[in-house]
Each structure stands twice: as C-alpha cells, then as structure tokens.
Amino acid sequence: MEKVDILIIGGGIVGLAVARTLSEDYEDVVLVEKEETFGRHASSRNSEVLHSGIYYPQNSKKAKLCVNGLEMIYDYAQLKKIPYFKCGKLVVATSEAEIPALLKLKENGEKNSVVGLEIYDQLKCRELEPQIKAVKALFVPSTGIIDTHTLMEKMESDAEKNGAFIVYDMEVISVDSLIDGYIINFANGEVFEANRIINCAGLHSDEIANMVGINVKREKLLLHWCKGEYYKSNQIKNINHLIYPLPDPKGIFLGIHLTINLRGEVRFGPNAYYVDELNYNMDDSYKNDFLKAINKYIEVEEEALHLDDCGIRSKLQPEGGDFRDFYIEEESEKGFPNFINCIGIESPGITASMAIAEEVKKLL
Ligand SMILES: Cc1cc2nc3c(=O)[nH]c(=O)nc-3n(C[C@H](O)[C@H](O)[C@H](O)COP(=O)(O)OP(=O)(O)OC[C@H]3O[C@@H](n4cnc5c(N)ncnc54)[C@H](O)[C@@H]3O)c2cc1C
C-alpha cells in the first residue's frame, strides 16, 4: 500500500493549482486523475475567459476568489509566458429597458472592488465595436482571455518541479476514514493511505464526498450538471472585445456571449440547460435559441454558425434554485478531519483557481 501525506483527487485546473501551491510548502503531495491526462472535463471545455468579478454577490467566495485569482493569473501568465490577452469586455444593453440592469451590474462590480468600470453611450460603443448593436454598454477593462491548456501545463510542471507526483489513469472508487487518515481504493486495484485529502473532482466531487460518508443530499452538496454548448462563426471578423448580453436574471449563466480566442476567431455560447448524463454529444437542437440571442447584439446568419464544442458545469444551484457559492471547506465538523472539499466550482473557476489553491492552503 502506498502511503502519502496529501492526496489531491482530480487533475482539472483546481487540482493542479492546489498541487502547485501545496507542493511549495509540503513534501509529500500526490495528485490522482482518472483520465490519461489533465483537464479533460470542464477545465478544457469553457470560454477561457478571465473574469473580473462583477457578477457575484458581495463577500461571496465567488466574488473574492475571482477578483484575487484574476490578479494572480495575470501575474503568473506574465511570469511563465502563457499566452493571454487583456482585451476587456462590453456588457451590452440592447434596449432602453435594459439600462437599469446594466447600471446595477456596474454598482455590483464596484462593491466587489472591480476597478475601471465605465458606462459607454451608443456612439462610444460604435466607435469601439462598429458591428455591435448597443444603446449603452458597461466596459470592463480587466476581463481577458487565456490559453488554459498552457496554463494547466505550467501548473503541472511547477508542481512536479516542487516534488509533487501527478498520476493519471487513477480513478478513485472508494474512500474510507481511519482514526487518523484515509484509505483510498482505485479502479485499477491500487490502494493508498493518505493523511489528508483534497477533493477537486469537479463534476464528481459530490460523489467523492459521499464516498467518505458525507450525506451530500442532507448537506445540500448534491451537484446538478448543466450543459453549455458553443457555436463558432468565421463570418464575423475584427471584433476586439468580448461581448456579453446582460446575465440571465435567475443567475444560471451569463448569457450567450461572443468571445474571441487568441487568434481573433469568434465563438458564441455557452447556453445552459440541466442534464442527467455526462455526454458531450451535440446537435443543432438549440440553434434557433442561439440565433435569437446573438442577433440581439450582432447580425449573424444561420449558415454562418457551426457547432463547436460543449462543456458541463458542476452546479450546486438546482434548476429554479437560488444562487449558490463555491463550497470550499475542511470537514472536521462533519467528522472528517483533514478532508477538504471543493464542490460546485463552476464559473469563474478558471479565473479563481490560484486563489482557491491559497484558500485550501489556509484550511490545511
Ligand atoms: C461551458 C463552461 C464555460 C465556462 N467558462 C468559464 C470561463 O470563461 N471562465 C472561468 O473562469 N470559468 C469558466 N468555467 C468554469 C471552469 O471551467 C470550471 O470552474 C473549472 O474548470 C473547474 O475546474 P475543476 O478542476 O474543479 O474541474 P474539472 O476540470 O472538471 O476537473 C475535475 C477532474 O477530476 C477528475 N475526477 C473526477 N472524478 C474522479 C475520480 N473518481 N478519481 C480521479 N479523478 C477524478 C476528472 O476526470 C477531472 O479531470 C466554465 C465552465 C463551463 C462548463
């Protein structure tokens, strides 16, 4: 049986960021991932946007970790030469009726200490983005895009240089608590004993918590999967900012937005609908919804939209439910000391990843 001090479950961006940070201070850190490499799920199936923190309730973990994490990621990207572009974004009001919500969003962003927010009038919007239809827009200068694959690669490499072990094809199938540690069984027959566990298993983080004996239903830690699809378009060119509509009033998602990648190519999405199975297949069932949403702020023809990719969010917020924050807790109170859960790490999880790792370090 392998004995380890700290076992991190999950090699998405959160697990990698945690491995990198903890391996700076601790000697015996092992990360296990069930796939053959890192970031095969949400961490490589997202908008690759570095968020500013304007959307989330004041003092929520999402707000604080997003604002702090953004700064940390920009510094890290610069240090490690990770491709990124601080392009800024425009949240557009497409009718007079939407202006109060836009102003409220600015106010919320300011409460969360997001700096540089400005309201632009129609003329200024046209000057910046001639193809975009907007009566007013909220300009968010700190938003950017990043090459998330290279970001994860650098985190993995830093963790390994610090002495951490990252092991792939290792699916955790059970976790049992001992008096002073945990026994972990893997699908390939291996067995580990760990002093402490950090659960960063994304879409399956509630299952891992359940395995150790936490009643996730009673504790309201059951995850709800919410799919988001993207369309790409090569018809639209010369866009310089990310373009967002006003967010969904129920807080389920940010609205079907326009992003550019580091090559300037345009993508639309994601939409949001709850699903029961982990299935990344796509078809055109939602194309009309996309066309309707996109054409509010930019003209695009049906033939110019092509299915691209999709991802699945791990949400604590059930369909029709209220806002839920990231859950990042050490579980002594539930009877599981030295077991840290990271559950419900949906957007802005990429942006917040390095700040989440610092939070986990504090909990240890
Ligand atoms: C459509 C979409 C768009 C998004 N857009 C953005 C954005 O623009 N900006 C932003 O900041 N955030 C965005 N997010 C959120 C962001 O992608 C996630 O918050 C982040 O990737 C979560 O990382 P993670 O490491 O927690 O999860 P994951 O990346 O899902 O990693 C979890 C890992 O755990 C592994 N695992 C699971 N079970 C086991 C097991 N039993 N044993 C071993 N390993 C296991 C999985 O294989 C997986 O690799 C978006 C998410 C989605 C879905």
Side-chain angles (χ1 to χ4, degrees), residues 9-15 32-35 37-51 170-173 200-204 208 211 226 228-230 244 257 270 310-313 326 345-352:
I9 304 174
I13 195 160
V14 174
V32 287
E33 162 57 51
K34 70 178 165 64
E35 305 292 350
T37 186
F38 61 76
R40 297 306 297 267
H41 295 280
S43 299
S44 54
R45 295 172 162 276
N46 59 74
S47 303
E48 299 198 297
V49 172
L50 294 177
H51 287 294
M170 292 282 281
E171 181 179 359
V172 173
I173 53 166
C200 305
L203 292 160
H204 302 283
I208 300 287
M211 281 177 196
C226 184
E229 298 163 331
Y230 293 91
Y244 280 64
H257 45 267
C310 66
I312 298 183
R313 306 167 178 89
F326 290 157
I345 313 296
E346 54 169 328
S347 190
I350 298 286
T351 316

Side-chain angles (χ1 to χ4, degrees), residues 78-106:
Q78 211 156 11
L79 186 74
K80 297 281 169 178
K81 299 191 170 43
I82 300 165
Y84 75 96
F85 177 33
K86 202 174 188 175
C87 50
K89 91 172 178 184
L90 293 169
V91 184
V92 295
T94 53
S95 69
E96 295 290 329
E98 286 184 340
I99 293 174
L102 197 72
L103 299 176
K104 223 169 156 190
L105 193 58
K106 177 171 184 273

Side-chain angles (χ1 to χ4, degrees), residues 2-15:
E2 197 79 37
K3 280 196 167 193
V4 305
D5 181 16
I6 300 175
L7 184 78
I8 300 164
I9 304 174
I13 195 160
V14 174

Side-chain angles (χ1 to χ4, degrees), residues 172-179 181-185 192-194 197 211-213 336 339:
V172 173
I173 53 166
S174 74
V175 183
D176 295 300
S177 69
L178 306 169
I179 289 171
Y182 296 91
I183 295 280
I184 303 99
N185 282 278
F192 281 19
E193 188 181 332
I197 292 183
M211 281 177 196
V212 78
F336 305 100
F339 190 101

